[in-house]
Amino acid sequence: MSLASSDARIEPGTDTRPPAGSFEEAFRAEHRRRRRHAAMWRLVLNAAGIALFVIAWELIPRYSSWINEVLFPPPSQVFEAFVPLLLSGEIVKNIRVSLLRAASGFGVALVLGIGAGVMTARLSWLQYLFEPLLHGFRSIPAIALIPLCILWFGIGETSKTALIAWGAFFPLWITTFIGVRDVNPIYLRSAACLGAGRLTTLFLVVLPAALPFILAGIRQALSVSLVVLVAAEMSGASSGIAHMMSEGHQLFRVDIMFIGLAVLGAFGFLVDRTFVAVARRLFPWYQITS
Amino acid sequence: MSAAGALIAVEHVSQVYAGRDGAPNWALRDVSLRIGRGEFVCLIGPSGCGKTTLLHLVAGFVKPTSGTVSFAGTPVAGPGPERVVVFQEYALFAWMTARQNVEFGLRTRGVPRAERRALALRALERVSLRHAADRYPHELSGGMRQRVAVARALVVEPEVLLMDEPFAAVDAMTRQSLQEDLLRLWRETGVSVVFVTHNVDEAAFLAQRVVVMGANPGSIRADLAIEAPHPRDRGSPRFAALYSDVADALAAHHGRKAA
Ligand SMILES: Nc1ncnc2c1ncn2[C@@H]1O[C@H](COP(=O)(O)OP(=O)(O)O)[C@@H](O)[C@H]1O
Ligand SMILES: [Mg+2]
């Protein structure tokens, strides 16, 4: 307030500048224009990068003698193989099967991992009871369990879900544990003075305070889920993207293997983008507190 | 004031923490203090003299090693909404807007959404922050955050506000207006206030009673009543006299200790 009045003294009423309103309008329009321009430029370069890659991939096998087109089919051939798979609905079916497996395993891990993380962080006796087991099991790569899992559960969905859940559980447990353990005690004390009980404190204070850690765990668990999914499908399955790829391997169809790789790449990318968008949307305060 | 008549009664309380090698560290030794309903008391003393410990004992965050703390005649068993603490900083929930922060204490007691919202907005209005109701704490200045913290505490209608150096982290100009607002709210609501500070000016401006504490071991060294009515004019000779009374009481005990 005092600043505004001293401004008025320095620049008395006889002001020849255009009214502030139109200047601000123009400033805003210019700002918007620049932002749009920068975003467009970025998109153009993104698209150019992809186009360059595809062109090089198309031309090099065709015009060089040192690359075998059967082992390294150009995009036009891969696309030709892709169209019938798409039209027959086979690829869509495989994508759906794979996504369902990844989602069910990840879902189980999400519930168990966050639950275990919260319990072990809040109850020290549970922590001491389970920490040797959890840390011991955590060191076993999920892929090493595939043969055993197939023996126990066969090559059906149970064994895939169990393997993915196993792999995704540990990053979720560890990050939730750290996040909950390190919640600022001032938050807990504020909640207690304001009359919050255990459940209110858990859902309104502890979990949101631990969220930056939990989200990091979720992101890691998502990528682990995809890795374990592929390994499990390759070692015994009758459908799924990675199964389609091993069939391609047996039939010596590199183009089909390439399609599988492209789909898996797209999976990973879209899952991560979706995760970021959902997190931004749900937790507008998250960027700052993380 | 009898123990039964006091709102807060701290009787022969000692609080001992294990220091390095388990050596006992007397954060408080044999402290007794009674605070009446509606009183505005400042606890002042150098850092490490046990001010926060004493406040946390009354809040119910810790149990005394020996002695008793009672509130309205009953022993304090834990934290509760009749004794709300306002911390120095970073106590607002970062994932809630100002309004949601204020609503928190109403949510815990199941006040319906619409009523909760109206009460929270009214509480924000009283600290002149209604316009910032939908902002997150990181979008507020330090002074605004402390106003929200005060609104969040007052909305549950506590009997005492326990404030631990609540304005120490804000700039001097903001601090003065926070102090004036706190006095106004104290008058309007009749709440008791126990206000920890290490700032002589702050104690002289706010308190009806200044409890001077000293360290090693933490204990009460003096208990001064301040008769001057509010609002106090910092430029007046009367205020200068108050200031030097408090400063002298602090210095007397520390001077003697140091000498
Ligand atoms: N949780 C704790 N564990 C160990 N020592 C503590 C703890 N809290 C406080 N103390 C010690 O008790 C003494 C008083 O601390 P405190 O009450 O925070 O003082 P003040 O608020 O006056 O600065 C200090 O020596 C401090 O180191
Ligand atoms: Mg302190």
Side-chain angles (χ1 to χ4, degrees), chain A residues 187 189 193-194 204 208 284-285, chain B residues 56 80-81 87 92 95 108 136 138:
Chain A
Y187 286 150
R189 289 180 159 174
C193 307
L194 293 166
L204 295 188
W285 43 271
Chain B
H56 286 187
F87 295 90
L92 291 182
W95 50 94
T108 62
Y136 286 94
H138 71 260

Side-chain angles (χ1 to χ4, degrees), chain B residues 51-52 164-165 196:
Chain B
K51 306 181 293 293
T52 296
D164 193 358
E165 310 199 25
V196 168

Side-chain angles (χ1 to χ4, degrees), chain B residues 86-92 97-99 101-102 123-153 166-167 169-171 173-175 177-178 181 185:
Chain B
V86 176
F87 295 90
Q88 183 173 335
E89 51 182 342
Y90 304 126
L92 291 182
T97 61
R99 175 173 60 74
N101 264 284
V102 177
L124 283 168
E125 179 107 59
R126 296 179 80 175
V127 294
S128 326
L129 276 184
R130 187 170 169 135
H131 63 281
D134 293 320
R135 292 201 219 157
Y136 286 94
H138 71 260
E139 299 169 310
L140 303 173
S141 70
M144 290 162 97
R145 278 182 229 165
Q146 290 311 82
R147 282 175 199 278
V148 175
V150 168
R152 179 173 80 170
F167 308 148
V170 298
D171 63 89
M173 283 227 290
T174 309
R175 188 180 312 144
S177 80
L178 286 167
D181 282 358
L185 292 166

